[in-house]
Amino acid sequence: MTYVGQSASAAQQEEAAPATFKDVVAAYVGLTKPRVIELLLLTTVPVMFFAARGIPPLGLVVATVIGGTFSAGSASVFNCVYDRDIDEQMRRTRRRALPRHIVSPRSALVFGFVLGILSTVILAVWVNPLSALLSVGANAFYVFGYTMLLKRRTTQNIVWGGLAGCFPALIGWTAVTGALSWVPVVLFMVVFFWTPPHTWALALRYREDYANVDVPMLPVVAPAREVGRQIVLYSWVMVATSLLLWPVAGTGLFYPIAAAVLGAGFLVEAHRMWGRTKGTESLTAIQPMRLFHSSNLYLSLLFVAVALDPLLTR
């Protein structure tokens, strides 16, 4: 396949060049979507600190991180296998391993199953069965619910499909306590309401990609003004939900202050992006990636505050 800005000869040379061992290893790692894993772990480990009201056992943290990494990696591999047809056509994803034919779909499937099995064993044996069950449920929902059922059929794909990305908060809590409660559910809902603004900002940047492969992300089927409005609405609910942790969990003052400051900053950025959509569809003017990067920073710092609160208020 020849891409825009790339000559036919250059593309042919790239496809003809044999993959080195380093290329293959990097391809398998890439299939797991490491940046997504980082974000998921960021909502797992701080919750473990919060559940332990201090520093949790190191061995438990290591087992949960390894099991969670393998689980999230497994789900991402299956996603890459199923979506390889559209990944090959999208600018953002055409450099992945399967579109470049560095890894075969069959090999990727085997890799995904191995990661999934290892994850389940590690969590069940060295953490607890409930955490393992939640992990399997999140993996299954991401693959069957989001990837195979929702993504190509509805504009609400990422709203409900994003539920899979909320499970790490539950897993981090149950890893320490062995049971569920309203506290991790609040954090689960924070991630749930955070996901649409985060993902729609990215989808707005790549809306032509999604349109070309008939994936009905909201920015494909709605004008930027409406996308911005919905981002603002979800952002307000997200911030309000984040503040619920204070009365529900009985946190110290550090967390609500941090949540309020971070939430205010995020709302300002969301409103600014919405304001930039007035009378234009120009991505240069709207600058959706500013909100996308802000959303990553917001969630990261919010969960750092979750981890720090019990350490600062003991």
Side-chain angles (χ1 to χ4, degrees):
M1 175 178 289
T2 304
Y3 303 126
V4 176
Q6 181 183 42
S7 67
S9 60
Q12 290 168 358
Q13 287 175 4
E14 181 178 328
E15 292 180 357
T20 65
F21 176 76
K22 182 179 179 180
D23 293 333
V24 174
V25 171
Y28 274 102
V29 172
L31 285 172
T32 66
K33 300 182 183 178
R35 297 183 72 176
V36 173
I37 292 175
E38 289 175 10
L39 199 60
L40 294 177
L41 293 179
L42 189 63
T43 58
T44 303
V45 177
V47 177
M48 296 182 71
F49 276 72
F50 194 78
R53 306 305 298 175
I55 301 175
L58 178 60
L60 182 63
V61 173
V62 171
T64 306
V65 166
I66 294 175
T69 297
F70 286 174
S71 178
S74 172
S76 293
V77 171
F78 292 137
N79 172 267
C80 287
V81 173
Y82 189 82
D83 279 347
R84 64 188 184 278
D85 58 330
I86 61 176
D87 281 351
E88 193 166 348
Q89 302 175 58
M90 296 177 65
R91 289 176 299 164
R92 188 173 66 88
T93 57
R94 65 193 181 195
R95 300 292 299 168
R96 289 177 177 171
L98 290 172
R100 294 175 62 197
H101 308 292
I102 296 178
V103 177
S104 71
R106 181 177 179 180
S107 297
L109 277 175
V110 172
F111 181 51
F113 277 114
V114 169
L115 288 177
I117 293 170
L118 287 175
S119 165
T120 304
V121 171
I122 290 169
L123 291 174
V125 174
W126 285 286
V127 182
N128 59 58
L130 178 56
S131 296
L133 182 62
L134 289 170
S135 178
V136 171
N139 195 324
F141 187 82
Y142 182 73
V143 175
F144 296 107
Y146 171 65
T147 303
M148 300 179 69
L149 181 63
L150 296 171
K151 183 174 181 178
R152 308 192 193 198
R153 290 179 172 85
T154 172
T155 59
Q156 297 299 299
N157 48 18
I158 198 59
V159 175
W160 299 109
L163 281 169
C166 305
F167 274 77
L170 303 182
I171 294 169
W173 182 270
T174 59
V176 173
T177 66
L180 287 169
S181 77
W182 284 111
V183 175
V185 171
V186 171
L187 294 170
F188 178 101
M189 295 308 297
V190 170
V191 181
F192 176 76
F193 291 119
W194 168 87
T195 301
H198 169 77
T199 308
W200 284 337
L202 182 67
L204 190 58
R205 166 66 179 83
Y206 292 100
R207 61 186 175 187
E208 290 184 5
D209 270 359
Y210 288 109
N212 289 338
V213 295
D214 296 322
V215 173
M217 298 293 286
L218 182 65
V220 173
V221 302
R225 185 68 176 166
E226 174 61 18
V227 176
R229 186 184 74 86
Q230 293 209 30
I231 283 176
V232 166
L233 290 176
Y234 272 94
S235 298
W236 273 99
V237 177
M238 174 194 72
V239 173
T241 304
S242 73
L243 293 171
L244 279 178
L245 189 67
W246 181 20
V248 170
T251 70
L253 287 177
F254 175 78
Y255 173 79
I257 292 172
V261 171
L262 292 170
F266 190 89
L267 288 173
V268 167
E269 192 60 47
H271 276 275
R272 281 177 176 171
M273 197 200 80
W274 185 30
R276 292 193 295 267
T277 64
K278 189 174 183 179
T280 182
E281 293 288 320
S282 168
L283 295 180
T284 302
I286 297 171
Q287 303 176 51
M289 294 304 288
R290 279 190 55 174
L291 183 65
F292 174 77
H293 293 304
S294 294
S295 68
N296 283 330
L297 183 62
Y298 167 82
L299 195 70
S300 301
L301 293 179
L302 183 73
F303 275 81
V304 167
V306 168
L308 289 178
D309 185 82
L311 299 177
L312 297 174
T313 57
R314 285 190 294 178

